[in-house]
Amino acid sequence: MEFMRCAESKCKKKCAGKLPCSPKVSFWFKRLRLFDRIRKHKVNPLPDPRNLFRACTRLSRDCTQMEILQPKDYTLAEVDARILSIKEQIELIKPITPELRTSHISSKRDEALEAGNKKKAQELTNMLEREELRGCYREIKMTTSKGRGRKVFSVETENADGSRTSITSKEEIERVAGQTIGERYRLAYSAPIMSNNKLLQDVGFSGDGPAVEAILRGEYTFPTGTDPYTELLMLEAAVLFSSLGEQGIDDWVHSKDFQHYWLHACERTELSKSQLHFGHYMAGSHDKEITELHVSSLNTIREIGIAPE
């Protein structure tokens, strides 16, 4: 886990832009990011600003349409004025950014065809079709799907006499919501099996007790006082288990299971609960040794029931 986090800290972070990418859009956003860096340097000078100086020189050399001086040649007010001007230009081109994106990819596809690279041309054609469909379905989804939940401004609680009280303060909303969610997560403790010490001891809190196999085979003798609905539920589990025949339910994670899952996972999912990008696991699934390392970690967590910190 530490090695993965170290690797991720050295990876280049890509920011998903709010506007479709094209050379013109990139032109303005590069300048906006550069002047943001210059402004930060003006407010809080960098100990070693040479990278910033090189970025100014490089961007000014790449395009002569907008001359960029060194940070020392600007005042803070001039930097703020440049940032405001660039943001206005971005707002002006915002309505035509989809057309600029389509035109850019089409031109690249035509260049690939002229160069005789049919494979690249087909890939660019597929990219155009995917982006067109994505935009179409996005509009349909926004129109037909249910609206997402908004911020909670008030909640109602039921009093002992049946009346309801509206709560609007942030602290009280968080307290009541936390209490309600906590009760829901602890509903298992109110199940009848929790009051039957003998049955709970035989089955185990995680369902891995000595009597589990006997229950699944239908050979278990339920202790006196067992809740009738709990008993019926466990008898039904035995019926379902018998329908599997010789097949069993393997709860052990195998290398092929790990590889099958991660080779088909969506890499656009940014983070897992471990705060690591899905790309780590997808890349690791191509390597046998890394896969076995991940699988061993998962099976260890399954055995002890506690995830490592």
Side-chain angles (χ1 to χ4, degrees):
M1 192 73 69
E2 291 180 2
F3 284 119
M4 293 169 70
R5 285 177 179 159
C6 179
E8 185 156 324
S9 67
K10 296 181 180 180
C11 289
K12 182 179 180 181
K13 303 296 188 297
K14 290 187 177 181
C15 301
K18 296 181 180 179
L19 301 178
C21 183
S22 65
K24 193 167 186 178
V25 173
S26 178
F27 172 87
W28 290 110
F29 272 101
K30 283 181 179 179
R31 278 145 188 78
L32 179 60
R33 287 193 289 267
L34 181 61
F35 276 99
D36 279 337
R37 290 176 62 186
I38 294 174
R39 191 184 193 287
K40 291 178 182 178
H41 174 63
K42 286 290 184 181
V43 174
N44 187 17
L46 296 169
D48 186 2
R50 285 178 293 179
N51 285 337
L52 179 58
F53 297 161
R54 281 193 287 267
C56 293
T57 303
R58 183 168 58 252
L59 202 57
S60 182
R61 183 179 62 245
D62 291 344
C63 185
T64 58
Q65 298 178 22
M66 183 177 179
E67 185 181 6
I68 298 177
L69 306 177
Q70 292 298 327
K72 62 182 178 61
D73 298 321
Y74 293 107
T75 63
L76 185 59
E78 289 173 338
V79 173
D80 288 336
R82 285 291 188 104
I83 292 175
L84 181 60
S85 174
I86 293 171
K87 288 182 177 180
E88 289 174 352
Q89 290 294 329
I90 292 174
E91 288 297 321
L92 286 174
I93 66 170
K94 184 181 291 187
I96 62 171
T97 49
E99 290 80 3
L100 292 174
R101 170 72 174 174
T102 303
S103 175
H104 171 60
I105 297 179
S106 299
S107 64
K108 291 296 180 182
R109 180 190 57 189
D110 295 340
E111 290 177 8
L113 286 173
E114 291 177 3
N117 192 342
K118 295 183 179 180
K119 182 179 179 181
K120 184 177 180 180
Q122 185 59 46
E123 289 176 354
L124 292 169
T125 301
N126 295 339
M127 185 185 296
L128 280 172
E129 293 176 354
R130 284 197 306 269
E131 292 185 0
E132 184 179 356
L133 285 173
R134 190 183 302 133
C136 177
Y137 282 115
R138 186 183 295 117
E139 293 180 2
I140 294 173
K141 187 176 180 181
M142 289 175 63
T143 305
T144 59
S145 61
K146 294 181 179 180
R148 295 185 178 182
R150 299 178 180 176
K151 293 181 179 180
V152 178
F153 294 101
S154 65
V155 294
E156 288 187 349
T157 58
E158 187 173 355
N159 302 321
D161 58 357
S163 62
R164 305 184 75 84
T165 303
S166 179
I167 298 173
T168 57
S169 68
K170 178 183 176 183
E171 294 74 15
E172 284 298 303
I173 289 175
E174 291 178 349
R175 183 187 64 79
V176 172
Q179 182 179 348
T180 303
I181 294 172
E183 290 174 357
R184 290 182 181 179
Y185 273 99
R186 289 192 294 269
L187 283 175
Y189 290 97
S190 62
I193 191 175
M194 299 299 293
S195 60
N196 192 322
N197 293 332
K198 179 66 170 65
L199 182 60
L200 180 60
Q201 184 179 359
D202 290 346
V203 175
F205 190 81
S206 300
D208 55 356
V212 173
E213 290 189 10
I215 291 173
L216 293 176
R217 290 195 300 268
E219 302 172 356
Y220 181 74
T221 303
F222 292 91
T224 306
T226 301
D227 178 71
Y229 297 104
T230 302
E231 185 173 343
L232 285 172
L233 181 63
M234 293 189 175
L235 290 173
E236 186 64 23
V239 174
L240 291 173
F241 188 75
S242 64
S243 66
L244 294 174
E246 297 296 326
Q247 276 187 321
I249 300 175
D250 190 3
D251 58 355
W252 194 260
V253 182
H254 298 278
S255 296
K256 62 179 182 180
D257 302 324
F258 182 90
Q259 290 177 324
H260 181 269
Y261 177 82
W262 286 110
L263 287 174
H264 297 85
C266 179
E267 192 171 2
R268 295 181 68 183
T269 306
E270 293 186 357
L271 295 175
S272 63
K273 288 186 178 181
S274 60
Q275 299 298 308
L276 292 169
H277 194 277
F278 270 29
H280 281 291
Y281 302 99
M282 296 185 71
S285 63
H286 290 274
D287 185 87
K288 182 179 178 182
E289 293 183 357
I290 295 178
T291 297
E292 290 177 353
L293 182 63
H294 282 298
V295 168
S296 300
S297 176
L298 291 172
N299 287 324
T300 302
I301 295 169
R302 171 203 168 278
E303 281 293 299
I304 63 177
I306 301 174
E309 294 183 0

